[in-house]
């Protein structure tokens, strides 16, 4: 009678470890192959294909870029928009350079990317034909995402989602201008209460300020909407660049609204104080134009302790 050899526990352990090592080697080999496939150089015809896509995108979106440029130059609320594009390009370049998982797989078509590209293209053409340029600009951001997904891969698009979505910060929104008057009224009431607390005999009705010897109006420039939009863009960038919990990043962006309003109330109150003691010319001829930068810088300094309070303490080395 022939008996089968009985395997010992040590032999079972060795065989299982060999199988584990074999599986891990296979996983490493597959990941290496996929990484190598993603890092393959472009062929000659593929390069011309990429160039053709870029040229076609530029020609198609040229009217929207012209509209954006005019808005950046004329609309004081979105004068920061000209800086958003190079900032987004820099963030995307650094992510592609530093993050191995973001390496592109050239011309790796994916149905999700094609669907995103098709929907964005239809919306862009429709809104551009309707001359709704701000909506067309948002659809153009979707076009960028779709092109990145189809030319670089869906995986790369996932890693570049923030730099692409950050482009939306450069698009002027018409409804923003409608909020300037209510914000100016709110700023006038709060700054008037502040200076009355320190003993100034002023009276505010709507956006009109009555003080001994002169009457003033709190206009759209004193609404603070310019600094609010800029601060939201900056805090969104900080939330992306710093390590920390999600609740801290969301809280940082949301705090941009009350912080900008607080800085603007202090600025208008300071202007009223100077106008009362040193005259209207001293307050609104020179100081009015530069006080916004001063108080905006003070608000930025407040972000330093807020970053630590929200546990956003260190920079992400994979994005910068």
């Amino acid at each position: 009678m022939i008996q089968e050899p009985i395997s010992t526990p040590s032999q079972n352990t060795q065989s299982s470890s060999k199988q584990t090592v074999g599986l891990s080697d296979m996983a490493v080999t597959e990941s290496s192959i996929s990484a190598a496939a993603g890092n393959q150089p472009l062929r000659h015809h593929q390069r011309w294909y990429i160039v053709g896509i870029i040229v076609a995108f530029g020609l198609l979106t040229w009217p929207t870029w012209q509209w954006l440029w005019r808005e950046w130059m004329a609309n004081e609320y979105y004068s920061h928009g000209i800086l958003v594009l190079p900032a987004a390009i820099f963030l995307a370049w650094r992510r592609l350079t530093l993050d191995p998982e973001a390496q592109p797989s050239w011309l790796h078509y994916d149905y999700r990317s094609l669907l995103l590209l098709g929907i964005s293209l239809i919306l862009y053409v429709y809104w551009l034909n309707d001359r709704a340029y701000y909506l067309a600009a948002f659809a153009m951001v979707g076009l960028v995402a779709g092109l990145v997904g189809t030319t670089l891969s869906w995986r790369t698009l996932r890693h570049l989602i923030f730099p692409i979505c950050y482009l939306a910060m450069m698009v002027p929104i018409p409804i923003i201008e409608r909020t300037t008057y209510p914000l100016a009224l709110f700023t006038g009431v709060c700054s008037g209460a502040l200076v009355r607390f320190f003993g100034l005999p002023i009276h505010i009705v709507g956006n009109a300020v009555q003080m001994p010897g002169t009457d003033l109006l709190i206009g759209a420039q004193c609404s603070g909407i310019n600094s609010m939009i800029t601060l939201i863009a900056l805090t969104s960038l900080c939330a992306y660049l710093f390590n920390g919990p999600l609740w801290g990043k969301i809280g940082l962006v949301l705090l941009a609204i009350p912080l900008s309003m607080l800085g603007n109330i202090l600025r208008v109150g300071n202007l009223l104080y100077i106008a009362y003691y040193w005259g209207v010319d001293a307050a609104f001829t020179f100081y009015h134009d530069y006080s916004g930068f001063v108080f905006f810088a003070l608000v930025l300094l407040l972000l330093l302790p807020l970053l630590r309070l929200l546990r956003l303490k260190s920079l992400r080395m994979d994005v910068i």
Side-chain angles (χ1 to χ4, degrees):
M1 187 176 189
I2 300 175
Q3 297 181 352
E4 295 180 358
I6 301 174
S7 60
T8 62
S10 61
Q11 290 175 338
N12 292 332
T13 304
Q14 290 177 358
S15 62
S16 62
S17 64
K18 289 180 180 179
Q19 292 177 357
T20 305
V21 172
L23 292 174
S24 62
D25 290 340
M26 291 175 60
V28 171
T29 303
E30 291 177 356
S31 62
S32 301
I33 292 174
S34 61
N39 293 327
Q40 286 181 352
L42 282 171
R43 299 176 181 177
H44 183 72
H45 71 279
Q46 290 178 328
R47 294 179 181 178
W48 281 110
Y49 185 68
I50 297 295
V51 171
I53 291 176
I54 295 174
V55 172
F57 174 79
L59 293 175
L60 180 64
T61 59
W62 180 247
T64 305
W65 287 114
Q66 287 181 311
W67 176 80
L68 285 172
W69 178 263
R70 290 193 298 267
E71 288 293 316
W72 295 339
M73 295 296 103
N75 191 339
E76 61 179 352
Y77 304 133
Y78 279 90
S79 57
H80 69 280
I82 195 172
L83 302 176
V84 173
L85 179 61
I89 294 175
F90 174 79
L91 292 175
W93 169 68
R94 293 300 292 170
R95 190 66 185 266
L96 290 172
T97 304
L98 299 176
D99 191 352
E101 296 183 359
Q103 296 304 310
S105 299
W106 294 103
L107 302 177
H108 183 77
Y109 300 110
D110 185 277
Y111 74 94
R112 294 167 294 185
S113 302
L114 293 174
L115 182 62
L116 175 61
L117 180 62
I119 293 175
S120 300
L121 181 60
I122 292 173
L123 292 176
Y124 175 79
V125 173
Y126 176 78
W127 283 327
L128 182 64
N129 183 64
D130 206 32
R131 296 188 181 274
Y133 288 109
Y134 73 100
L135 293 175
F138 284 118
M140 184 178 66
V141 176
L143 274 176
V144 173
L147 289 174
V148 169
T150 52
T151 57
L152 303 185
S153 78
W154 183 262
R155 183 191 67 238
T156 303
L157 173 60
R158 290 173 54 191
H159 287 83
L160 298 182
I161 193 64
F162 178 84
I164 294 174
C165 291
Y166 195 67
L167 292 172
M169 294 289 181
M170 69 181 182
V171 182
I173 305 175
I175 195 174
I176 293 296
E177 298 181 0
R178 301 175 186 175
T179 63
T180 56
Y181 183 70
L183 281 175
L185 291 178
F186 178 78
T187 300
V189 171
C190 294
S191 58
L194 179 64
V195 295
R196 279 198 302 268
F197 177 78
F198 288 99
L200 268 66
I202 68 171
H203 185 64
I204 296 180
V205 179
N207 64 335
V209 180
Q210 299 175 358
M211 62 174 55
T214 186
D215 293 331
L216 303 173
L217 287 176
I218 299 177
Q221 292 181 341
C222 295
S223 65
I225 193 68
N226 189 11
S227 58
M228 184 182 296
I229 295 173
T230 305
L231 194 60
I232 290 174
L234 287 176
T235 52
S236 300
L237 185 59
C238 290
Y240 174 71
L241 295 178
F242 280 84
N243 286 307
L246 179 61
W247 63 265
K249 296 183 177 185
I250 296 175
L252 179 65
V253 177
L254 293 179
L255 281 173
I257 297 175
L259 282 176
S260 60
M261 294 175 68
L262 175 62
N264 191 54
I265 290 170
L266 294 176
R267 170 179 172 260
V268 174
N270 187 247
L271 284 170
L272 295 176
Y273 188 87
I274 293 177
Y276 180 77
Y277 283 102
W278 285 281
V280 176
D281 291 337
F284 292 92
T285 301
F286 177 80
Y287 185 71
H288 178 271
D289 295 333
Y290 296 96
S291 59
F293 297 102
V294 175
F295 283 91
F296 187 76
L298 293 177
V299 171
L300 290 180
L301 290 177
L302 288 176
L303 292 179
L304 298 178
L306 282 176
L307 288 173
R308 299 187 62 86
L309 183 64
L310 297 173
R311 299 181 184 178
L312 305 176
K313 299 180 180 180
S314 60
L315 288 170
R316 294 175 56 189
M317 293 296 102
D318 60 332
V319 297
I320 192 171

